[in-house]
Amino acid sequence: MADGLDISKFISSLEKEYQPRAQAAAESAVERFALYVVGEAARLCPVKTGALKASWVVEQPESDGDDIEVTMGFNTSYAAAVHEILTNHHAQGQAKYLETALKANAPKLVPYVEAELHKEFG
């Protein structure tokens, strides 16, 4: 999620004792959001044997303090080809399955993380 969410102003405004808690809550929210998006992508992904659909992965979020990044995708040797080749016919699913899910859900990221932080801090 390279477009990401800059929560640095929110986190820096907290007292130092709350910063680790806020960072952990934000990272957890970003990870849960990524799991949701990849689940949506799995619903859209073409299915021939089921191996592609089952190969989804969401890695632990990484943070440099200001930005939180999470890597997600599908882990087969042919995942990128199936995703990118628009001319292939799929009996079930579609090309651009991950991109479609990400674009559809990207506007929901910031409100979701904000809501999760509000839950954490009341």
Side-chain angles (χ1 to χ4, degrees):
M1 295 189 174
D3 292 343
L5 165 66
D6 183 3
I7 61 166
S8 60
K9 290 179 184 176
F10 175 78
I11 291 176
S12 65
S13 71
L14 299 172
E15 295 180 31
K16 287 188 183 225
E17 63 193 74
Y18 292 107
Q19 286 180 356
R21 186 173 150 203
Q23 188 71 31
E27 289 174 11
S28 179
V30 168
E31 182 177 20
R32 285 192 308 276
F33 192 83
L35 287 166
Y36 173 78
V37 170
V38 84
E40 291 292 303
R43 288 186 330 104
L44 297 172
C45 115
V47 177
K48 187 172 183 179
T49 66
L52 176 60
K53 185 175 187 172
S55 75
W56 65 267
V57 62
V58 173
E59 295 183 4
Q60 289 290 108
E62 294 184 12
S63 173
D64 67 4
D66 291 336
D67 296 314
I68 299 171
E69 292 185 11
V70 65
T71 299
M72 67 178 127
F74 291 80
N75 194 17
T76 65
S77 60
Y78 53 88
V82 172
H83 188 271
E84 294 300 320
I85 299 174
L86 302 176
T87 56
N88 286 350
H89 170 73
H90 303 287
Q92 180 181 348
Q94 66 179 59
K96 299 291 188 178
Y97 48 94
L98 182 57
E99 184 177 329
T100 299
L102 188 56
K103 284 182 176 180
N105 288 288
K108 302 172 190 172
L109 174 63
V110 172
Y112 177 77
V113 174
E114 287 175 344
E116 292 300 302
L117 289 170
H118 285 292
K119 285 181 198 173
E120 180 70 23
F121 290 96

